Amino acid sequence: MEGIEILIRKRTDFTSAAALKQFLNPLLEPFQLSNPEIRILHKSKNHALLTTHKHRQVSRFLQHWQLLKLWRSPKWHFEGETLTVKLSAGSPNPFLIRVLQREEKLRLLQSYEKALPPPTSTNPALPSPRQFAVSSLTYGTWDYAEAEPYYHPYFEVSIDDAIVTFGDRYFVLVFKVEATEDENNGLKRIQYPSRGDDDGNSDSSTERSSSGAVRLVQHHPNGEGKSRHTDITRVIDHPSDDDNEDNIYRHRLVYPYSAVASIALDPEEDPAVICTMTEAPKMWINGLRGIGLKGLPLQIATSCQVYRFRLADPSDIRHLFRLEHQGLFPQCSIGQVSAIQSSESFVDQVIQLKAALDDPVHEFTFAVQFQVQKLAQNGYLPPRAVIALIQFISFLQQRNGQASTVAALRRLFQQLPYAGPMTKATELDRPAVVDLLNQNIEALTEESTYPFAQTSDVLTIHRAEITPTAVYLAGPDVEEGNRVLRKYAGFSEHFLRVTFMDEDGETFYFDKNFSNTDIFHCRFKEILNDEVEVAGRLFKFLGFSHSSLRAQTCWFLAPFIHDGKPIDADMIISSLGDFSHIRSPAKCAARIGQAFTETSSSTPIDPACVHEVEDVERNGRCFSDGVGTCSLSVLEGLQAVQKSSQLPATVFQIRVAGAKGVISLDNRLEGDVLRLRPSMIKYRGSEDSRIEICGVASRMLPLVLNRQLIKILEDLGIPNKSFEDLQEHAINELRGSVSSVTNAAALLERHDVGLSTHTTWLLRKIHSLGLALSDDIFFRDLLDAMVLIQLQQIKYKTRIPVQEGATLYGIMDETDTLAEGEVFCSWIDREGRAQQASGVVVATRSPALHPGDIQTAKAVAVPPESPLNALQNCIVFSSRGARDLPSQLSGGDLDGDLYHVVWDETLIPRSCRQAASYPREPPLDIGRSVTRRDMSEFFVQFMEQDQLGRVATQHMVLADQHELGTLDEDCIKLAQLHSTAVDFSKTGRAIHDSQLPKACRNNQYRPDFMAPGRKIKIEEHGIIFEPEEVDFLDDSDPRKAGEPRRKRYYESKKVLGILYRSIDERSFFKDLHDRSAVLKDDDAPSKGVLFDLWEYVKAEVNGLAWEQYAEEAVHMRETYEATVYDIIFQYSTHPTEQLEEIEVFIGNIICRTGYRSKRQKEYMTGMKEKYDRHALSLMTAMRADDVTGEELKALRRSMACFWVGIVREPAERTGRGEGSRRRDTFGWIAAAACLKELEGYQEKRDVGPLRRLVRKLGLTAGR
């Protein structure tokens, strides 16, 4: 028996489990029964269960309680009643018992790590009150008068019985509003007593409070507002007798500390807390997500994110002082802050700004107007301050042009500090802003810029971000093009990329605990079906790709004239092809979405060269699903535009007209031939005649095991030791990466770090010169970051690399050479050698949930004359047999799926399970042709009902909890639901909560390998690991305010848990630094390896003059630093904790909080692409030869850059990114450029003309 439960009763209902636990703790501690689990029964709320894993202590306690009962002790009087206690007849949840056991271990470990005595109570006494009564909430902005900051209130809600709670990660405002019955329509109406803007468009009268603030009183006869800007009365569309019998609407606004820019405490006459935020609060009304306070103008919700909470009890301000002093509250300023009512409403200011921007006298281009609107709309400056800048910005555009003005404004966003008591008025007044813009223009004029030229393949795109309460502007950013953008390449400013997101920037996830109905159907659907006005243009919904659907992103379009014809959204869609026969919104959107798929490049193809050949079908199965072929000449055309430094590819993932899929080389075809199959052609009627490239098999991708694959392999009988050995090998490789420069370079190469900047080449060059890297801080930080990121991936994601394996594109055997069950695997390794697999291999693909998703096959060689030998970096499947192998691997096909191939004998199971065979769900048919509105409504439906992530998570949990693992019928059911959820984007058929196994319901316990990781801090002298964080607090504890319902974790007894617990990051890094000869004390007497390298370069060039390029080099460095700073500013997710420059350099964000959000994962991709583009442009600019023929100009310029990189400190930054720790990556890029040029110089110097001729002819000295 693993645990025990005690039943506790009283006559009336318990108020809360937290209150009962706080009462029982001192009574239980003498029996060493601290930290039990206490919960109130849902059906009998006067019953509570105490659960613990401590049998002996429970027995002692029950004996003692019997004595107390005989003595009629008053100790057990709780809430005015006597408690009764007895042993429960039921058995406790075994996973709860394991949770309690794990938490006790971690509690002891925490106390040991912190050198503190073990805690005896789950809820120790709070050091200071955290809950305070609030009498009003105000939205406003900061401003200055006579150099003193003051607060401008623009919208105020007077609220009774409101409470603000300051938790550990959030502060939360909770208040109630009573609804009244509307006799006309039977609806409930919520009336907010509010003071705020009146734009004069509503039928309302105004009153003035004693403070002079405007109070609006609405007089709409139907109880509904005429405009969302002026509607103070919120109408809740629920019958008055159904959903809320007490007519009380409970509001909950959650403000995360991670979005706090500053906090001011005003202790004077009207004590208040004033918080400057970088995002709006999330809001709940009676447990349902809300879209903001009704009547709150959108302009205020978006731009007025300075919130003032007036304390009902003035004495509470001293408790807030104590919280801040104890470090339990973000650092804040303290002092009197005057609240001054503005003479103009905020909405009026916005209207005036729009009028000024639209005034033809300024002649603003769209790109400039976008940035000016962004300056006000995103809250950088109040509208009236932006209006004061309009004339000057117009002057800048006329004098310096659009590009420089936009660049100056974008740099301004980074430089402006957050307004408030800790910012001087002189930093934000008009002269200061004008001065910053002038400095930016001057810097941009002087800097030797190396812009990434806009082409049809790469375009700059403006973006809008829609949250439940706000609209923000972003960009423009460089993005890969798609078919539509290429066709209208000169009109990219008429396309707007719109992302729907939560207030914190994260995507919306399905959550059965609350509803987002208002957000999806009242907020997002309204925008999708209407329009968004940006910089004087009206943008309407256009479409989305499959990947952008999952990212909750779509395209909007503003009409324009092209070749004398008006172009709007309907015309663009009709020009793509014939979709009239498709009657499913999901399927139609998927087909149209092919044209919006990002493709890296394209090449023309003569339609006469495109041929359609039959699919290979048998037993109702398509063996050639999504795959075609091409001749060598067509392939060479694709290779010519292939954007890759790898070897030319023989397999491409493409889009062409209405077709999509993969094509491979068939060297038997002559001339220009492209063969497509019906399974590739998704629609007809397209007149496009270009082959677009969206994937290239230019190299073998490494194989990395993940949790899903490991769990299935474990259930198929692979012993734990196989995985343990693989993980140990991966850990040892990380250790070895700091033991030598060669290993360090190999680590960087495996993860594509520094390819565009030749970093790994430079490291090997330095090593070959005998120069020591051991004392270089940059090198240490680079390795620390890389090793940490990979270690986190292994421990927290169980991503274990497999040397004897590969990830490859799948295609079909066009030669009919392979027998059933055979495959042909060919690839080029990192050394450029051709390799082939042989013997029994494991074939699978991700995601894999069904035990039959892993199969074995026989890898064979083919005759030397076979066309298959010309293929590289792919797995070729047989076209024979009863069922194609790809469809057996997680329902795969050949239109671009990647397959994992393993020939490691320790990972090959003796037998495999039968593959799943799910019936195909037909797309949902609406019985008519699909309209754009149908597709936009499906976009909302998908956001609301997509449960793919939830199903995968529940599968992982149940696979660990059930004895049979993935073989259990619950997991089999979840695997099928996962397949349905994957197809939701194409069929329009969602899964529903009722379809999930019962074991998924209210399962709050998870295996420990799914727990968040340690929090870390990156300090000047290395990485600091904080003690493993375990939450021992009840959900109702004030310190838990605002946090989602907590997950609790138990020690998994299966292999994933064993692998997880075998790694301790802190011990790993301590051992690494203790043993490493590379990472030494920063105080070692060395200037760094770049100084030593510079001396080597000077000696080699023997007095070559380079000084004339020093000024140009300084400008190049300034341009580079501005770019890096822009990337840091754009991709940092916390307003005051900026990314490190080393993270930008490696293209990866270090997980500091123990949990990497989807937003961060998406950021990493964009950050790496953006940095690599600019780094490559910089490298090209440094090494560019002079067209006039000046000798050694590239070497001279790169030497100047190298010198500037090592003697000039990085520029200090102020504003919103101030404090980001910098590492001089410019010096390393310049060093690589210089050494590359030096190498060419040395070759010319040392090799005579005759020997160069001999080498050119391919002869040897001995001939």
PDB file of all heavy atoms in Angstrom, residues 151-174:
ATOM      1  N   TYR A 151       0.421  61.959 -14.064  1.00  0.00           N
ATOM      2  CA  TYR A 151      -0.380  60.897 -14.677  1.00  0.00           C
ATOM      3  C   TYR A 151      -1.607  61.498 -15.331  1.00  0.00           C
ATOM      4  O   TYR A 151      -2.336  62.291 -14.732  1.00  0.00           O
ATOM      5  CB  TYR A 151      -0.785  59.886 -13.602  1.00  0.00           C
ATOM      6  CG  TYR A 151      -1.615  58.741 -14.109  1.00  0.00           C
ATOM      7  CD1 TYR A 151      -1.055  57.766 -14.918  1.00  0.00           C
ATOM      8  CD2 TYR A 151      -2.967  58.639 -13.785  1.00  0.00           C
ATOM      9  CE1 TYR A 151      -1.819  56.705 -15.389  1.00  0.00           C
ATOM     10  CE2 TYR A 151      -3.732  57.583 -14.242  1.00  0.00           C
ATOM     11  CZ  TYR A 151      -3.159  56.620 -15.051  1.00  0.00           C
ATOM     12  OH  TYR A 151      -3.919  55.572 -15.511  1.00  0.00           O
ATOM     13  N   HIS A 152      -1.838  61.103 -16.598  1.00  0.00           N
ATOM     14  CA  HIS A 152      -3.026  61.533 -17.349  1.00  0.00           C
ATOM     15  C   HIS A 152      -4.056  60.410 -17.309  1.00  0.00           C
ATOM     16  O   HIS A 152      -3.899  59.398 -17.988  1.00  0.00           O
ATOM     17  CB  HIS A 152      -2.657  61.781 -18.818  1.00  0.00           C
ATOM     18  CG  HIS A 152      -2.503  63.228 -19.163  1.00  0.00           C
ATOM     19  ND1 HIS A 152      -3.237  64.240 -18.583  1.00  0.00           N
ATOM     20  CD2 HIS A 152      -1.689  63.842 -20.059  1.00  0.00           C
ATOM     21  CE1 HIS A 152      -2.876  65.401 -19.091  1.00  0.00           C
ATOM     22  NE2 HIS A 152      -1.928  65.190 -19.988  1.00  0.00           N
ATOM     23  N   PRO A 153      -5.133  60.528 -16.560  1.00  0.00           N
ATOM     24  CA  PRO A 153      -6.174  59.491 -16.609  1.00  0.00           C
ATOM     25  C   PRO A 153      -7.111  59.724 -17.796  1.00  0.00           C
ATOM     26  O   PRO A 153      -7.554  60.842 -18.030  1.00  0.00           O
ATOM     27  CB  PRO A 153      -6.920  59.687 -15.281  1.00  0.00           C
ATOM     28  CG  PRO A 153      -6.751  61.136 -14.969  1.00  0.00           C
ATOM     29  CD  PRO A 153      -5.430  61.569 -15.551  1.00  0.00           C
ATOM     30  N   TYR A 154      -7.399  58.659 -18.539  1.00  0.00           N
ATOM     31  CA  TYR A 154      -8.291  58.780 -19.691  1.00  0.00           C
ATOM     32  C   TYR A 154      -9.529  57.908 -19.571  1.00  0.00           C
ATOM     33  O   TYR A 154     -10.505  58.124 -20.270  1.00  0.00           O
ATOM     34  CB  TYR A 154      -7.545  58.431 -20.980  1.00  0.00           C
ATOM     35  CG  TYR A 154      -6.589  59.511 -21.419  1.00  0.00           C
ATOM     36  CD1 TYR A 154      -5.221  59.302 -21.360  1.00  0.00           C
ATOM     37  CD2 TYR A 154      -7.053  60.735 -21.883  1.00  0.00           C
ATOM     38  CE1 TYR A 154      -4.331  60.294 -21.774  1.00  0.00           C
ATOM     39  CE2 TYR A 154      -6.175  61.731 -22.287  1.00  0.00           C
ATOM     40  CZ  TYR A 154      -4.818  61.508 -22.229  1.00  0.00           C
ATOM     41  OH  TYR A 154      -3.950  62.483 -22.622  1.00  0.00           O
ATOM     42  N   PHE A 155      -9.502  56.902 -18.726  1.00  0.00           N
ATOM     43  CA  PHE A 155     -10.682  56.050 -18.556  1.00  0.00           C
ATOM     44  C   PHE A 155     -10.612  55.465 -17.153  1.00  0.00           C
ATOM     45  O   PHE A 155      -9.621  54.846 -16.776  1.00  0.00           O
ATOM     46  CB  PHE A 155     -10.691  54.924 -19.593  1.00  0.00           C
ATOM     47  CG  PHE A 155     -11.964  54.104 -19.582  1.00  0.00           C
ATOM     48  CD1 PHE A 155     -13.073  54.507 -20.310  1.00  0.00           C
ATOM     49  CD2 PHE A 155     -12.052  52.942 -18.837  1.00  0.00           C
ATOM     50  CE1 PHE A 155     -14.236  53.756 -20.306  1.00  0.00           C
ATOM     51  CE2 PHE A 155     -13.210  52.188 -18.824  1.00  0.00           C
ATOM     52  CZ  PHE A 155     -14.309  52.596 -19.557  1.00  0.00           C
ATOM     53  N   GLU A 156     -11.649  55.683 -16.385  1.00  0.00           N
ATOM     54  CA  GLU A 156     -11.642  55.247 -14.995  1.00  0.00           C
ATOM     55  C   GLU A 156     -12.887  54.420 -14.702  1.00  0.00           C
ATOM     56  O   GLU A 156     -13.985  54.749 -15.157  1.00  0.00           O
ATOM     57  CB  GLU A 156     -11.577  56.442 -14.045  1.00  0.00           C
ATOM     58  CG  GLU A 156     -11.557  56.029 -12.573  1.00  0.00           C
ATOM     59  CD  GLU A 156     -11.343  57.197 -11.632  1.00  0.00           C
ATOM     60  OE1 GLU A 156     -11.045  58.295 -12.126  1.00  0.00           O
ATOM     61  OE2 GLU A 156     -11.483  57.030 -10.411  1.00  0.00           O
ATOM     62  N   VAL A 157     -12.699  53.341 -13.976  1.00  0.00           N
ATOM     63  CA  VAL A 157     -13.800  52.500 -13.519  1.00  0.00           C
ATOM     64  C   VAL A 157     -13.837  52.564 -12.003  1.00  0.00           C
ATOM     65  O   VAL A 157     -12.878  52.184 -11.332  1.00  0.00           O
ATOM     66  CB  VAL A 157     -13.621  51.033 -13.979  1.00  0.00           C
ATOM     67  CG1 VAL A 157     -14.806  50.201 -13.510  1.00  0.00           C
ATOM     68  CG2 VAL A 157     -13.485  50.962 -15.481  1.00  0.00           C
ATOM     69  N   SER A 158     -14.931  53.088 -11.460  1.00  0.00           N
ATOM     70  CA  SER A 158     -15.117  53.104 -10.013  1.00  0.00           C
ATOM     71  C   SER A 158     -15.701  51.759  -9.599  1.00  0.00           C
ATOM     72  O   SER A 158     -16.765  51.367 -10.082  1.00  0.00           O
ATOM     73  CB  SER A 158     -16.064  54.241  -9.602  1.00  0.00           C
ATOM     74  OG  SER A 158     -15.527  55.482  -9.995  1.00  0.00           O
ATOM     75  N   ILE A 159     -15.011  51.047  -8.742  1.00  0.00           N
ATOM     76  CA  ILE A 159     -15.396  49.679  -8.414  1.00  0.00           C
ATOM     77  C   ILE A 159     -15.447  49.510  -6.915  1.00  0.00           C
ATOM     78  O   ILE A 159     -14.537  49.920  -6.185  1.00  0.00           O
ATOM     79  CB  ILE A 159     -14.407  48.665  -9.045  1.00  0.00           C
ATOM     80  CG1 ILE A 159     -12.975  49.193  -8.967  1.00  0.00           C
ATOM     81  CG2 ILE A 159     -14.764  48.383 -10.481  1.00  0.00           C
ATOM     82  CD1 ILE A 159     -11.948  48.308  -9.611  1.00  0.00           C
ATOM     83  N   ASP A 160     -16.509  48.900  -6.449  1.00  0.00           N
ATOM     84  CA  ASP A 160     -16.667  48.627  -5.024  1.00  0.00           C
ATOM     85  C   ASP A 160     -16.194  47.217  -4.723  1.00  0.00           C
ATOM     86  O   ASP A 160     -16.309  46.306  -5.551  1.00  0.00           O
ATOM     87  CB  ASP A 160     -18.136  48.783  -4.608  1.00  0.00           C
ATOM     88  CG  ASP A 160     -18.621  50.210  -4.810  1.00  0.00           C
ATOM     89  OD1 ASP A 160     -17.811  51.137  -4.613  1.00  0.00           O
ATOM     90  OD2 ASP A 160     -19.791  50.377  -5.190  1.00  0.00           O
ATOM     91  N   ASP A 161     -15.675  47.003  -3.533  1.00  0.00           N
ATOM     92  CA  ASP A 161     -15.255  45.677  -3.064  1.00  0.00           C
ATOM     93  C   ASP A 161     -14.230  45.040  -3.994  1.00  0.00           C
ATOM     94  O   ASP A 161     -14.194  43.817  -4.152  1.00  0.00           O
ATOM     95  CB  ASP A 161     -16.461  44.741  -2.925  1.00  0.00           C
ATOM     96  CG  ASP A 161     -17.487  45.277  -1.946  1.00  0.00           C
ATOM     97  OD1 ASP A 161     -17.060  45.878  -0.939  1.00  0.00           O
ATOM     98  OD2 ASP A 161     -18.684  45.105  -2.189  1.00  0.00           O
ATOM     99  N   ALA A 162     -13.409  45.861  -4.625  1.00  0.00           N
ATOM    100  CA  ALA A 162     -12.369  45.319  -5.501  1.00  0.00           C
ATOM    101  C   ALA A 162     -11.140  44.970  -4.670  1.00  0.00           C
ATOM    102  O   ALA A 162     -10.811  45.647  -3.691  1.00  0.00           O
ATOM    103  CB  ALA A 162     -11.999  46.323  -6.573  1.00  0.00           C
ATOM    104  N   ILE A 163     -10.461  43.916  -5.075  1.00  0.00           N
ATOM    105  CA  ILE A 163      -9.260  43.455  -4.383  1.00  0.00           C
ATOM    106  C   ILE A 163      -8.147  43.271  -5.407  1.00  0.00           C
ATOM    107  O   ILE A 163      -8.345  42.651  -6.450  1.00  0.00           O
ATOM    108  CB  ILE A 163      -9.497  42.109  -3.652  1.00  0.00           C
ATOM    109  CG1 ILE A 163     -10.568  42.261  -2.573  1.00  0.00           C
ATOM    110  CG2 ILE A 163      -8.202  41.583  -3.048  1.00  0.00           C
ATOM    111  CD1 ILE A 163     -10.147  43.146  -1.411  1.00  0.00           C
ATOM    112  N   VAL A 164      -6.970  43.836  -5.117  1.00  0.00           N
ATOM    113  CA  VAL A 164      -5.790  43.562  -5.925  1.00  0.00           C
ATOM    114  C   VAL A 164      -4.865  42.677  -5.093  1.00  0.00           C
ATOM    115  O   VAL A 164      -4.619  42.945  -3.919  1.00  0.00           O
ATOM    116  CB  VAL A 164      -5.075  44.849  -6.377  1.00  0.00           C
ATOM    117  CG1 VAL A 164      -4.537  45.655  -5.205  1.00  0.00           C
ATOM    118  CG2 VAL A 164      -3.956  44.516  -7.357  1.00  0.00           C
ATOM    119  N   THR A 165      -4.409  41.590  -5.709  1.00  0.00           N
ATOM    120  CA  THR A 165      -3.540  40.628  -5.042  1.00  0.00           C
ATOM    121  C   THR A 165      -2.204  40.590  -5.754  1.00  0.00           C
ATOM    122  O   THR A 165      -2.153  40.417  -6.976  1.00  0.00           O
ATOM    123  CB  THR A 165      -4.164  39.221  -5.051  1.00  0.00           C
ATOM    124  OG1 THR A 165      -5.447  39.269  -4.422  1.00  0.00           O
ATOM    125  CG2 THR A 165      -3.278  38.222  -4.317  1.00  0.00           C
ATOM    126  N   PHE A 166      -1.123  40.747  -5.000  1.00  0.00           N
ATOM    127  CA  PHE A 166       0.221  40.712  -5.559  1.00  0.00           C
ATOM    128  C   PHE A 166       0.829  39.344  -5.287  1.00  0.00           C
ATOM    129  O   PHE A 166       1.198  39.020  -4.164  1.00  0.00           O
ATOM    130  CB  PHE A 166       1.080  41.826  -4.965  1.00  0.00           C
ATOM    131  CG  PHE A 166       0.638  43.193  -5.373  1.00  0.00           C
ATOM    132  CD1 PHE A 166      -0.244  43.917  -4.581  1.00  0.00           C
ATOM    133  CD2 PHE A 166       1.063  43.753  -6.568  1.00  0.00           C
ATOM    134  CE1 PHE A 166      -0.674  45.181  -4.956  1.00  0.00           C
ATOM    135  CE2 PHE A 166       0.631  45.006  -6.955  1.00  0.00           C
ATOM    136  CZ  PHE A 166      -0.238  45.726  -6.157  1.00  0.00           C
ATOM    137  N   GLY A 167       0.844  38.494  -6.341  1.00  0.00           N
ATOM    138  CA  GLY A 167       1.391  37.158  -6.208  1.00  0.00           C
ATOM    139  C   GLY A 167       2.872  37.124  -6.507  1.00  0.00           C
ATOM    140  O   GLY A 167       3.548  38.158  -6.539  1.00  0.00           O
ATOM    141  N   ASP A 168       3.396  35.933  -6.737  1.00  0.00           N
ATOM    142  CA  ASP A 168       4.820  35.783  -7.016  1.00  0.00           C
ATOM    143  C   ASP A 168       5.167  36.144  -8.452  1.00  0.00           C
ATOM    144  O   ASP A 168       6.260  36.604  -8.739  1.00  0.00           O
ATOM    145  CB  ASP A 168       5.259  34.338  -6.745  1.00  0.00           C
ATOM    146  CG  ASP A 168       5.380  34.051  -5.258  1.00  0.00           C
ATOM    147  OD1 ASP A 168       5.474  35.025  -4.485  1.00  0.00           O
ATOM    148  OD2 ASP A 168       5.363  32.870  -4.870  1.00  0.00           O
ATOM    149  N   ARG A 169       4.226  35.924  -9.387  1.00  0.00           N
ATOM    150  CA  ARG A 169       4.515  36.174 -10.790  1.00  0.00           C
ATOM    151  C   ARG A 169       3.531  37.156 -11.430  1.00  0.00           C
ATOM    152  O   ARG A 169       3.788  37.665 -12.506  1.00  0.00           O
ATOM    153  CB  ARG A 169       4.472  34.862 -11.591  1.00  0.00           C
ATOM    154  CG  ARG A 169       5.534  33.858 -11.167  1.00  0.00           C
ATOM    155  CD  ARG A 169       5.483  32.634 -12.068  1.00  0.00           C
ATOM    156  NE  ARG A 169       6.486  31.654 -11.707  1.00  0.00           N
ATOM    157  CZ  ARG A 169       6.316  30.676 -10.845  1.00  0.00           C
ATOM    158  NH1 ARG A 169       5.145  30.541 -10.225  1.00  0.00           N
ATOM    159  NH2 ARG A 169       7.284  29.828 -10.561  1.00  0.00           N
ATOM    160  N   TYR A 170       2.406  37.365 -10.776  1.00  0.00           N
ATOM    161  CA  TYR A 170       1.361  38.220 -11.348  1.00  0.00           C
ATOM    162  C   TYR A 170       0.760  39.068 -10.233  1.00  0.00           C
ATOM    163  O   TYR A 170       0.853  38.737  -9.055  1.00  0.00           O
ATOM    164  CB  TYR A 170       0.229  37.388 -11.961  1.00  0.00           C
ATOM    165  CG  TYR A 170       0.645  36.361 -12.978  1.00  0.00           C
ATOM    166  CD1 TYR A 170       1.125  35.109 -12.598  1.00  0.00           C
ATOM    167  CD2 TYR A 170       0.519  36.612 -14.342  1.00  0.00           C
ATOM    168  CE1 TYR A 170       1.491  34.160 -13.529  1.00  0.00           C
ATOM    169  CE2 TYR A 170       0.878  35.673 -15.288  1.00  0.00           C
ATOM    170  CZ  TYR A 170       1.364  34.440 -14.877  1.00  0.00           C
ATOM    171  OH  TYR A 170       1.724  33.498 -15.801  1.00  0.00           O
ATOM    172  N   PHE A 171       0.134  40.173 -10.628  1.00  0.00           N
ATOM    173  CA  PHE A 171      -0.804  40.801  -9.703  1.00  0.00           C
ATOM    174  C   PHE A 171      -2.165  40.829 -10.382  1.00  0.00           C
ATOM    175  O   PHE A 171      -2.266  40.939 -11.610  1.00  0.00           O
ATOM    176  CB  PHE A 171      -0.347  42.179  -9.218  1.00  0.00           C
ATOM    177  CG  PHE A 171      -0.223  43.238 -10.269  1.00  0.00           C
ATOM    178  CD1 PHE A 171      -1.261  44.132 -10.497  1.00  0.00           C
ATOM    179  CD2 PHE A 171       0.944  43.374 -11.003  1.00  0.00           C
ATOM    180  CE1 PHE A 171      -1.139  45.122 -11.449  1.00  0.00           C
ATOM    181  CE2 PHE A 171       1.075  44.367 -11.964  1.00  0.00           C
ATOM    182  CZ  PHE A 171       0.034  45.249 -12.186  1.00  0.00           C
ATOM    183  N   VAL A 172      -3.207  40.673  -9.584  1.00  0.00           N
ATOM    184  CA  VAL A 172      -4.545  40.396 -10.106  1.00  0.00           C
ATOM    185  C   VAL A 172      -5.547  41.332  -9.461  1.00  0.00           C
ATOM    186  O   VAL A 172      -5.551  41.511  -8.237  1.00  0.00           O
ATOM    187  CB  VAL A 172      -4.941  38.932  -9.825  1.00  0.00           C
ATOM    188  CG1 VAL A 172      -6.324  38.641 -10.393  1.00  0.00           C
ATOM    189  CG2 VAL A 172      -3.914  37.970 -10.406  1.00  0.00           C
ATOM    190  N   LEU A 173      -6.391  41.925 -10.290  1.00  0.00           N
ATOM    191  CA  LEU A 173      -7.489  42.754  -9.797  1.00  0.00           C
ATOM    192  C   LEU A 173      -8.790  41.980  -9.970  1.00  0.00           C
ATOM    193  O   LEU A 173      -9.086  41.496 -11.062  1.00  0.00           O
ATOM    194  CB  LEU A 173      -7.555  44.068 -10.570  1.00  0.00           C
ATOM    195  CG  LEU A 173      -8.703  45.009 -10.187  1.00  0.00           C
ATOM    196  CD1 LEU A 173      -8.488  45.571  -8.780  1.00  0.00           C
ATOM    197  CD2 LEU A 173      -8.835  46.142 -11.198  1.00  0.00           C
ATOM    198  N   VAL A 174      -9.551  41.864  -8.888  1.00  0.00           N
ATOM    199  CA  VAL A 174     -10.827  41.159  -8.919  1.00  0.00           C
ATOM    200  C   VAL A 174     -11.911  42.103  -8.407  1.00  0.00           C
ATOM    201  O   VAL A 174     -11.753  42.754  -7.367  1.00  0.00           O
ATOM    202  CB  VAL A 174     -10.785  39.889  -8.041  1.00  0.00           C
ATOM    203  CG1 VAL A 174     -12.145  39.199  -8.044  1.00  0.00           C
ATOM    204  CG2 VAL A 174      -9.702  38.934  -8.538  1.00  0.00           C
TER     205      VAL A 174
END
